[in-house]
Amino acid sequence: MKQNKKPLIIAIALIMVVTASAFFLVVKVTPLFITAYIITLIGIAMLCFGNLYLLTAAKSYPWVAAIPVTIWRYLMTQLTVSAIFVIRENIFDSSISIAWFILIHIVLLSFFSVLLILQKGGKDIIEDVDEKVQEKYIDFRSIQLDVESVKERVPNQAEEIKAVADALRYSTPLCHASVVPLEDKIKDSVVMLEQAADNNDTEKISELCVTLLRYIKDRNNKVKLIK
């Protein structure tokens, strides 16, 4: 499917080039018009590249999709600006200097380039948060499995341990610096719970279950405040 779209994208770009070239037949050819024509060709080439890149980089689709969209907006903007000055030159015989014309287009290109950079930065931040949440989710599920394994080893206190496992199961995996100390306490307590189960220390197990439930509750309350 992707291979079939490449000729279509290239064909659209060629049609746009032919359309832009057709203006040589109806517009007075001046240095300003030739400069506008070259800038337009560059914009069309950028749009074609952006669409082709979209086909080959679907893994980061939301970010990659912003590339051709932003380039299209740039192309429409620079075409509008060029048309204003070319029409002004043809109708009123009043032309802007080539240096100023190029500078205006450099500013336009810079503006839309900054937009892309900002979008890329936003994408990186979102992906970084997603990775941290996923890591935290796996970490919490791992702790939960450890608690579940303790429950199997001490069936007489299965209900107490199940309450801890359920509390962990329904805890949000949100990662935030303010809850890290509590998370460390939870991990340490689970390790001690496993050791108490190995020693068949029922009193210690009950004490740790109460402690873990308190830590988990405190963590959940902090997470709610953060949200």
Side-chain angles (χ1 to χ4, degrees):
M1 180 64 76
K2 291 182 180 180
Q3 295 297 327
N4 293 337
K5 289 182 179 179
K6 286 183 179 180
L8 177 62
I9 291 172
I10 295 172
I12 291 173
L14 290 175
I15 291 172
M16 294 176 73
V17 170
V18 171
T19 302
S21 301
F23 280 92
F24 276 95
L25 302 175
V26 294
V27 175
K28 182 170 64 176
V29 179
T30 63
L32 180 68
F33 173 73
I34 293 173
T35 303
Y37 175 72
I38 293 173
I39 292 173
T40 299
L41 293 184
I42 293 172
I44 293 171
M46 290 170 60
L47 181 63
C48 181
F49 171 79
N51 283 314
L52 290 174
Y53 184 66
L54 176 62
L55 293 180
T56 58
K59 184 178 179 182
S60 301
Y61 182 80
W63 147 244
V64 177
I67 296 176
V69 171
T70 303
I71 296 174
W72 173 255
R73 289 171 180 167
Y74 161 71
L75 179 60
M76 291 298 100
T77 304
Q78 63 109 320
L79 280 174
T80 302
V81 171
S82 294
I84 290 172
F85 287 110
V86 170
I87 292 172
R88 177 170 173 262
E89 182 183 50
N90 276 259
I91 295 178
F92 301 104
D93 199 26
S94 176
S95 178
I96 187 175
S97 71
I98 300 298
W100 276 106
F101 185 72
I102 292 175
L103 178 61
I104 291 171
H105 282 282
I106 290 175
V107 171
L108 285 175
L109 181 60
S110 299
F111 172 76
F112 284 97
S113 297
V114 169
L115 283 183
L116 276 177
I117 292 170
L118 292 175
Q119 289 167 339
K120 176 65 165 59
K123 170 252 184 187
D124 291 340
I125 292 173
I126 292 171
E127 287 188 350
D128 184 55
V129 171
D130 287 343
E131 288 176 4
K132 288 181 178 179
V133 170
Q134 183 63 22
E135 181 182 342
K136 187 59 61 179
Y137 177 83
I138 294 172
D139 196 25
F140 254 70
R141 294 295 79 87
S142 176
I143 295 173
Q144 180 191 332
L145 290 175
D146 291 338
V147 175
E148 293 281 359
S149 68
V150 173
K151 184 180 69 173
E152 300 298 326
R153 282 142 56 188
V154 283
N156 293 336
Q157 294 176 279
E159 288 300 317
E160 295 178 80
I161 300 171
K162 182 178 181 298
V164 176
D166 288 343
L168 286 169
R169 182 181 299 110
Y170 296 116
S171 292
T172 176
L174 178 66
C175 178
H176 194 273
S178 65
V179 297
V180 169
L182 281 171
E183 290 173 350
D184 290 338
K185 290 180 179 179
I186 291 170
K187 292 176 185 178
D188 293 340
S189 297
V190 170
V191 172
M192 288 189 286
L193 183 65
E194 290 179 302
Q195 293 172 349
D198 292 337
N199 298 328
N200 200 25
D201 188 343
T202 57
E203 185 177 341
K204 186 67 174 177
I205 290 173
S206 296
E207 178 186 332
L208 285 168
C209 285
V210 172
T211 301
L212 277 164
L213 288 173
R214 186 175 71 252
Y215 287 156
I216 295 168
K217 182 179 179 181
D218 289 345
R219 180 189 180 277
N220 290 343
N221 289 337
K222 279 199 172 185
V223 169
K224 287 179 183 177
L225 290 174
I226 296 167
K227 288 182 178 181

